[in-house]
């Protein structure tokens, strides 16, 4: 049995010991990683229908070339000593106002280039998959333009050397996700889902904007170097406020509590979008932001604790919701929410968890993207149906999809030696380590992580058994014809096979290759061993035990027993989980309805008080004018009589006091 290496506490919170400038060579080509897919998006959008035939493959080429540049950069970085692996590349002077000057530049370090590899490699596979998946869509050229735009924005986000340039990529990712989720916006439900995702992310963006303001007022700049250098001189209260608003931004982008309600609805978009955005890239941006801001969180233990709490709540929230979903894609979305909750929990543990969070992020990107593409393959063979109660028995007809999806399923369960075992189990172990001198936290968060693993095993096994095992429960096609499930074409199955290979071997390879050591120039070196409150071997054993229990329970209910076509009423918790634990109702009650009442009150105030005051004054002036106008008759005799009357009154007024 594999025993995890004991975790340790960091003695020096400053992870980056020195930042160097890029002095030429391969690393000077780094801007091409962003420029190539951005050029692809612009060309496909500007050429219009003329690029319908070659546009998709051109988009694949741009993403592939970006991967090649990223791979060359990471090889070059590996050839440098560990203390020389954090480099800044200045591209041009961006903002210069008074004493404030900021260059647009890229930071090339193990963290950013790890994300580059994930985004470009998985993104390119999804581009290839999409060629077959979107083959008959008349607007496929526009779809691939949006895919390239998303890749470019995501790469800018992770490569930026300042929070302000990161914000540009952050907003670009939000725009691209809106365009992709609502790609089929002729269907009202899809357009609504895109707007919901867009608005929820804008709420989170307010947090990042406030953080930028706090950084500028506190440190006088917003570059990573300036902020990291200024953290030791800032007050704990300021750093706590900064960490909390950064967390708000991270929650919006990564669908974490309480800004998680948009993720399930976002499954309305094409399935490759779900694989790219909602499994491997955009929803992990929040984790990147927290880890990149590690210096701030290390100086604000309270803010870091809130990150752990948010992660713990979300991992249970997503797991419970996933247990009740019959929609294949929405069940996977709930799983994504839960797994990112694990990453937030790890990142919130501070130095002992930063690298582990990124480790699980990378392995999760492979097996979850593979399962989303597998869901798309099932939909391709089942007339776009997504109701798992109408599946069953597909293993005999879609063998490649069954095997690749199954390997991803075993990986997310954490069955050794699959990838999830090496990454998620490290998070569970880290959760049992006392942090900031509070052993009770280790017991609370460790238990939550352990219980989450058991629930994950149940709902993911439920999904696998309902889809591929048991008796077939197929519903007729939309035109009334019987279903004829079939395997997807090679352009779809080959990317699934590659991702499945990552589900099997990537975790072990990264663990053996010292992945957490590779990230040390950013996340810091861990020393002074401080193990978990339970022995590592016992944590591993308990984790595998709860996973097996969850798997067996799912097998008894959804493989060994018939699956009803209509879901039973279920318990109160089951009904709540089907309704996403009433997250939309809570948002309506706390945000939407009070906002509507406030808006109506302001409209009433504007119309009745502000406009009413000016309108009343205008009516008074008009009325006075109407009264005065009546004395202007145009008759000379009347004017003469009025003048005489006025003269008499004047004379009386003058002479009366003398009489």
């Amino acid at each position: 049995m594999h025993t995890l290496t004991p975790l340790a506490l960091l003695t020096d919170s400053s992870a980056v010991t020195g930042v160097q400038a890029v002095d030429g060579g391969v690393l000077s080509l780094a801007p091409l990683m962003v420029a190539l897919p951005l050029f692809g998006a612009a060309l496909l959008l500007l050429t219009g229908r003329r690029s319908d035939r070659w546009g998709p493959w051109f988009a694949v080429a741009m993403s592939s070339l970006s991967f090649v540049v990223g791979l060359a950069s990471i090889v070059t970085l590996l050839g440098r000593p560990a203390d020389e692996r954090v480099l800044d590349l200045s591209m041009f002077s961006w903002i210069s106002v008074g004493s404030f000057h900021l260059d647009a530049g890229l930071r090339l370090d193990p963290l950013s280039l790890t994300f580059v590899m994930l985004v470009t490699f998985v993104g390119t596979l999804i581009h290839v998959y999409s060629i077959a998946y979107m083959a008959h869509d008349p607007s496929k050229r526009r779809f691939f333009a949006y895919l390239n735009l998303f890749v470019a924005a995501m790469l800018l986000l992770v490569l930026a050397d300042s929070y302000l340039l990161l914000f540009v990529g952050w907003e670009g990712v939000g725009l691209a996700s809106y365009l992709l989720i609502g790609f089929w916006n002729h269907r009202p439900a899809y357009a609504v889902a895109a707007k919901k995702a867009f608005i929820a992310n804008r709420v989170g963006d307010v947090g990042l904007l406030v953080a930028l303001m706090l950084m500028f007022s506190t440190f006088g700049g917003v570059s990573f170097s300036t902020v990291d250098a200024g953290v030791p001189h800032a007050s704990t209260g300021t750093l706590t406020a900064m960490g909390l608003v950064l967390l708000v931004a991270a929650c919006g982008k990564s669908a974490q509590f309480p800004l998680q309600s948009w993720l399930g609805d976002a499954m309305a978009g094409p399935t490759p979008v779900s694989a790219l955005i909602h499994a491997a890239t955009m929803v992990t941006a929040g984790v990147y932001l927290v880890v990149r801001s590690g210096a701030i969180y290390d100086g604000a233990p309270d803010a870091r604790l809130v990150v752990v709490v948010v992660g713990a709540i979300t991992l249970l929230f997503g797991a419970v919701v996933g247990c009740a979903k019959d929609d294949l894609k929405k069940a996977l979305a709930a799983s994504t929410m839960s797994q990112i909750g694990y990453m937030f929990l790890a990142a919130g543990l501070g130095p002992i968890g930063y690298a582990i969070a990124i480790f699980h992020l990378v392995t999760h990107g492979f097996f979850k993207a593979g399962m989303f593409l597998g869901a798309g393959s099932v939909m391709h063979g089942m007339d776009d149906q997504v109701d798992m109660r109408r599946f069953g028995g597909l293993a005999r007809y879609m063998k490649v999809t069954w095997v690749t999806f199954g390997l991803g399923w075993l990986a997310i369960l954490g069955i050794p030696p699959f990838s999830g075992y090496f990454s998620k189990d490290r998070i569970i172990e880290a959760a049992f380590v006392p942090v900031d001198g509070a052993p009770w936290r280790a017991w609370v968060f460790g238990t939550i992580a352990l219980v989450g693993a058991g629930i994950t095993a149940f709902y993911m096994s439920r999904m696998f058994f309902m889809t591929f095992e048991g008796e077939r429960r197929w519903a007729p096609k939309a035109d009334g014809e019987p279903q004829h499930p079939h395997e997807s074409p090679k352009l779809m199955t080959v990317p699934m096979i590659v991702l499945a290979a990552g589900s099997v071997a990537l975790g072990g390879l990264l663990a053996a290759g010292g992945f957490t050591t590779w990230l040390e120039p950013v996340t810091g070196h861990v020393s002074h061993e401080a193990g978990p409150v339970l022995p590592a071997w016992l944590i591993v054993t308990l984790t595998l035990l709860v996973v097996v229990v969850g798997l067996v329970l799912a097998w008894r209910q959804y493989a060994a027993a018939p699956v009803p076509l209509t879901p039973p009423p279920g318990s109160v918790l089951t009904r709540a989980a089907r309704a996403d634990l009433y997250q939309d109702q809570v948002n309506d009650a706390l945000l939407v309805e009070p906002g509507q009442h406030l808006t109506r009150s302001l409209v009433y105030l504007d119309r009745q008080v502000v406009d009413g005051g000016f309108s009343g004054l205008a009516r008074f002036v008009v009325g006075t004018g109407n009264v005065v106008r009546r004395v202007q008759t145009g008759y000379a005799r009347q004017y003469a009589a009025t003048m005489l009357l006025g003269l008499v009154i004047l004379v009386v007024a003058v002479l009366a006091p003398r009489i």
Side-chain angles (χ1 to χ4, degrees):
M1 180 180 294
H2 173 73
T3 302
L4 301 176
T5 304
L7 296 170
L9 296 175
L10 190 72
T11 55
D12 182 4
S13 62
S14 178
V16 180
T17 57
V19 180
Q20 301 182 5
V22 174
D23 54 0
V26 172
L27 295 177
S28 64
L29 301 177
L32 289 176
M33 290 186 278
V34 179
L36 287 167
L38 187 61
F39 172 70
L43 185 65
L44 295 186
L45 290 174
L46 293 175
T47 54
R49 296 292 181 186
R50 288 170 291 183
S51 60
D52 279 348
R53 296 181 62 183
W54 52 267
W57 283 108
F58 184 78
V60 172
M62 292 298 99
S63 181
S64 301
L65 288 174
S66 187
F67 167 75
V68 171
V69 176
L71 182 61
S73 299
I74 207 168
V75 169
T76 302
L77 209 64
L78 282 168
R80 303 173 67 100
D83 58 353
E84 297 179 9
R85 289 179 180 172
V86 180
L87 301 99
D88 280 347
L89 172 62
S90 178
M91 296 185 293
F92 56 86
S93 178
W94 185 20
I95 301 174
S96 183
V97 180
S99 60
F100 177 74
H101 181 81
L102 181 67
D103 287 347
L106 304 181
R107 170 154 292 190
L108 305 174
D109 62 18
L111 179 61
S112 63
L113 290 181
T114 295
F115 270 84
V116 166
M117 289 290 95
L118 178 66
V119 172
T120 56
F121 184 76
V122 176
T124 300
L125 291 175
I126 293 171
H127 275 67
V128 174
Y129 177 97
S130 299
I131 290 177
Y133 192 88
M134 302 294 289
H136 303 294
D137 194 293
S139 300
K140 60 183 178 182
R141 176 261 320 161
R142 181 165 52 89
F143 178 80
F144 280 90
Y146 293 162
L147 283 183
N148 264 196
L149 176 62
F150 177 85
V151 170
M154 189 68 197
L155 290 174
L156 179 62
L157 189 160
V158 300
L159 285 168
D161 70 342
S162 69
Y163 285 95
L164 189 59
L165 190 58
L166 179 150
F167 183 72
V168 175
W170 193 271
E171 292 302 292
V173 166
L175 171 63
S177 68
Y178 168 76
L179 296 172
L180 287 166
I181 294 169
F183 182 73
W184 291 322
N185 55 21
H186 56 278
R187 305 179 188 179
Y190 289 19
V192 170
K195 288 190 291 184
K196 184 176 181 179
F198 190 79
I199 292 171
N201 276 268
R202 299 294 74 72
V203 174
D205 293 348
V206 173
L208 189 50
L209 285 171
V210 174
L212 284 167
M213 298 174 192
L214 286 173
M215 291 171 187
F216 182 76
S217 62
T218 304
F219 307 121
V222 292
S223 68
F224 295 151
S225 297
T226 300
V227 172
D228 290 347
V231 163
H233 309 290
S235 67
T236 302
T238 300
L239 295 177
T240 300
M242 212 174 291
L244 291 176
V245 291
L246 285 171
L247 177 60
V248 171
C251 287
K253 196 67 74 182
S254 294
Q256 297 293 285
F257 179 85
L259 298 177
Q260 79 286 358
S261 63
W262 63 270
L263 188 61
D265 296 82
M267 296 302 104
T271 301
V273 174
S274 303
L276 178 63
I277 295 179
H278 308 128
T281 53
M282 187 185 90
V283 290
T284 62
V287 183
Y288 170 81
L289 182 64
V290 172
V291 174
R292 177 60 79 188
S293 307
I296 295 173
Y297 285 102
D298 289 343
D302 291 339
R304 204 167 62 190
L305 175 60
V306 176
V307 176
V308 180
V309 171
V310 166
I313 292 174
T314 310
L315 77 86
L316 289 180
F317 190 107
V320 171
V321 170
C323 291
K325 289 296 181 183
D326 293 329
D327 184 310
L328 178 57
K329 289 177 65 177
K330 288 190 176 183
L332 285 171
S335 171
T336 298
M337 184 193 308
S338 178
Q339 293 302 304
I340 295 176
Y342 271 104
M343 301 171 205
F344 267 75
L345 188 152
L349 295 174
I352 67 169
Y354 293 144
I356 302 171
I358 301 301
F359 188 6
H360 189 52
L361 185 152
V362 172
T363 59
H364 174 267
F366 275 77
F367 56 69
K368 185 55 66 63
M371 284 190 283
F372 264 114
L373 296 187
S377 180
V378 170
M379 293 171 62
H380 177 80
M382 291 292 288
D383 194 38
D384 285 336
Q385 294 190 28
V386 292
D387 187 354
M388 293 186 291
R389 293 186 181 274
R390 296 290 181 172
F391 293 159
L394 293 180
R396 288 167 286 179
Y397 303 90
M398 308 178 70
K399 294 189 181 299
V400 175
T401 303
W402 170 58
V403 171
T404 55
F405 194 100
L407 293 175
W409 162 60
L410 293 173
I412 197 172
L413 262 59
I415 301 295
F418 297 94
S419 291
Y421 172 66
F422 294 94
S423 58
K424 191 175 74 174
D425 281 27
R426 288 294 301 274
I427 294 178
I428 297 173
E429 181 193 350
F432 276 104
V433 175
V435 177
D436 298 328
W440 65 268
R441 296 182 188 176
W443 288 105
V444 171
F445 297 125
T447 301
I448 289 174
L450 191 62
V451 171
I455 302 175
T456 299
F458 175 80
Y459 74 78
M460 290 303 301
S461 300
R462 172 183 182 268
M463 185 189 311
F464 183 75
F465 295 143
M466 288 180 71
T467 302
F468 296 102
E469 306 301 330
E471 297 182 355
R472 60 187 190 184
R473 306 175 299 277
W474 308 339
K477 295 182 180 180
D479 57 7
E481 293 293 322
Q483 290 284 358
H484 296 288
H486 54 278
E487 190 56 86
S488 300
K490 288 186 177 180
L491 282 177
M492 293 172 65
T493 57
V494 169
M496 290 159 55
I497 292 171
V498 175
L499 291 171
S503 301
V504 175
L506 183 63
L509 291 174
L510 292 179
F515 180 74
T516 54
T517 303
W518 152 254
L519 291 174
E520 280 184 359
V522 180
T523 60
H525 175 67
V526 177
S527 58
H528 293 307
E529 293 185 357
V533 294
L534 292 175
W537 66 266
L538 181 58
I539 296 174
V540 172
T541 303
L542 290 174
T543 302
L544 291 176
L545 180 62
V546 297
V547 166
V548 171
V549 169
L551 191 157
V552 171
L553 289 175
W555 177 82
R556 288 185 58 187
Q557 188 169 349
Y558 298 101
V563 176
L565 297 179
T566 303
S571 64
V572 174
L573 180 59
T574 300
R575 294 194 296 272
R578 288 175 185 154
D580 297 328
L581 297 181
Y582 306 115
Q583 53 187 334
D584 285 331
Q585 290 83 345
V586 171
N587 288 342
D588 287 344
L590 295 180
L591 300 174
V592 178
E593 292 180 5
Q596 290 176 340
H597 289 307
L598 177 62
T599 303
R600 290 168 185 155
S601 300
L602 293 175
V603 169
Y604 178 83
L605 178 67
D606 181 62
R607 291 179 178 176
Q608 301 300 321
V609 179
V610 180
D611 288 352
F614 284 102
S615 299
L617 178 62
R619 286 193 295 269
F620 173 76
V621 173
V622 171
T624 303
N626 288 334
V627 173
V628 174
R629 185 180 61 184
R630 293 175 182 174
V631 303
Q632 303 296 324
T633 63
Y635 295 111
R637 287 178 297 177
Q638 182 177 352
Y639 295 160
T642 302
M643 293 172 64
L644 179 61
L645 177 62
L647 181 60
V648 171
I649 294 173
L650 180 61
V651 170
V652 171
V654 172
L655 297 179
R658 298 181 181 182
I659 298 176

